[in-house]
């Protein structure tokens, strides 16, 4: 989404990277949470996101638009965001890649053949689905109530999903 001036930040990827950082005090905690499909306490996640945003804007003040992937995933994430970023950033919209559980599990199992991720196995995936249903879905509903959700049918092919995303950015970008 660079074309539209966004910097892509993935909360999950930042947590994975932090897990590999030998200086981090959170390595074991993050590993455990990810394997169990649970959401890491927001203090950790928001500090990683904020560091990336601050560094990006310090290098180039015009780069102040971010596409944050996989966040906020629960009430704790949302509160942490409001506490740290509210008043400094606007949330323009939320992209909701809607896809049924079975397709998600199949895709992640397929990815698991080469991803090396400790959570791309059936047991972790079932837990991730539970976390999604219990903790993430209510957050999507909150954004729906204020008209910020752009829903995409993510069960379609990669190309079709991409076209949908492009349409949204062309309109809203
Ligand atoms: O987004 P993704 O599915 O790649 O995230 C992988 C894992 O990273 C999640 O299952 C969760 O354990 C952790 N995560 C988190 N908080 C977020 C995003 C991801 O704890 N906001
Ligand atoms: Mg992700």
């Amino acid at each position: 989404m660079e074309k539209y001036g966004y910097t892509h930040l993935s909360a999950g990827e930042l947590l994975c990277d932090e897990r590999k950082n030998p200086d981090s005090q959170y390595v074991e905690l993050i590993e455990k949470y990810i394997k169990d499909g649970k959401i890491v306490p927001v203090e950790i996640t928001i500090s990683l996101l904020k560091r990336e945003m601050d560094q990006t804007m310090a290098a180039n003040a015009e780069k102040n638009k971010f596409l944050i992937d996989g966040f906020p995933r629960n009430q704790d994430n949302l509160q942490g965001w409001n506490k740290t970023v509210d008043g400094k950033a606007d949330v323009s919209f939320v992209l909701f890649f809607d896809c049924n559980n079975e397709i998600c599990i199949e895709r992640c199992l397929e990815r698991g053949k080469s991803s090396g991720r400790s959570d791309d196995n059936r047991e972790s995936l079932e837990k991730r689905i539970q976390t999604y249903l219990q903790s993430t879905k209510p957050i999507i509903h909150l954004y729906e109530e204020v008209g910020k959700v752009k829903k995409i049918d993510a069960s379609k092919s990669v190309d079709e999903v991409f076209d949908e995303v492009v349409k949204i950015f062309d309109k809203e970008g």
Side-chain angles (χ1 to χ4, degrees):
M1 289 301 126
E2 266 166 51
K3 180 183 152 195
Y4 301 92
Y6 286 84
T7 302
H8 174 257
L9 298 178
S10 159
E13 266 171 42
L14 290 171
L15 288 165
C16 275
D17 292 348
E18 184 66 7
R19 191 177 49 170
K20 289 175 206 136
N21 171 5
D23 299 328
S24 170
Q25 53 183 343
Y26 302 122
V27 172
E28 279 159 27
L29 184 150
I30 294 173
E31 174 56 28
K32 188 167 164 26
Y33 272 72
I34 288 183
K35 199 152 175 272
D36 284 343
K38 291 200 299 197
I39 306 302
V40 172
V42 71
E43 289 73 21
I44 300 172
T45 317
I46 200 92
S47 72
L48 298 174
L49 285 170
K50 191 162 182 306
R51 185 179 68 195
E52 292 296 317
M53 290 193 279
D54 287 344
Q55 277 176 2
T56 306
M57 290 186 290
N60 179 351
E62 281 175 21
K63 294 191 82 179
N64 61 357
K65 288 182 6 174
F66 297 91
L67 176 64
I68 304 183
D69 178 344
F71 186 94
R73 291 272 267 269
N74 65 1
Q75 196 62 41
D76 177 57
N77 272 189
L78 182 60
Q79 277 166 3
W81 170 266
N82 287 339
K83 205 166 96 189
T84 315
V85 189
D86 211 25
K88 296 187 202 145
D90 293 323
V91 176
S92 309
F93 56 89
V94 171
L95 288 175
F96 172 29
F97 292 87
D98 190 21
C99 187
N100 75 51
N101 297 344
E102 245 344 281
I103 294 184
C104 289
I105 289 177
E106 286 312 317
R107 286 179 181 171
C108 289
L109 287 175
E110 188 58 35
R111 180 176 69 181
K113 291 178 186 167
S114 59
S115 70
R117 281 177 61 147
S118 60
D119 61 350
D120 278 347
N121 56 79
R122 193 166 278 278
E123 201 188 335
S124 295
L125 287 163
E126 299 284 356
K127 292 181 180 168
R128 289 162 69 186
I129 298 276
Q130 286 313 313
T131 300
Y132 166 70
L133 293 173
Q134 280 167 19
S135 308
T136 308
K137 238 179 153 187
I139 304 299
I140 299 171
H141 285 310
L142 290 179
Y143 282 108
E144 250 163 9
E145 278 168 14
V146 292
K148 293 220 186 242
V149 172
K150 312 275 170 212
K151 188 159 138 176
I152 292 158
D153 179 359
S155 65
K156 293 186 181 162
S157 70
V158 173
D159 286 345
E160 284 168 310
V161 172
F162 183 73
D163 285 348
E164 285 298 308
V165 175
V166 167
K167 263 190 224 150
I168 292 173
F169 277 90
D170 278 342
K171 212 163 124 210
E172 310 282 339

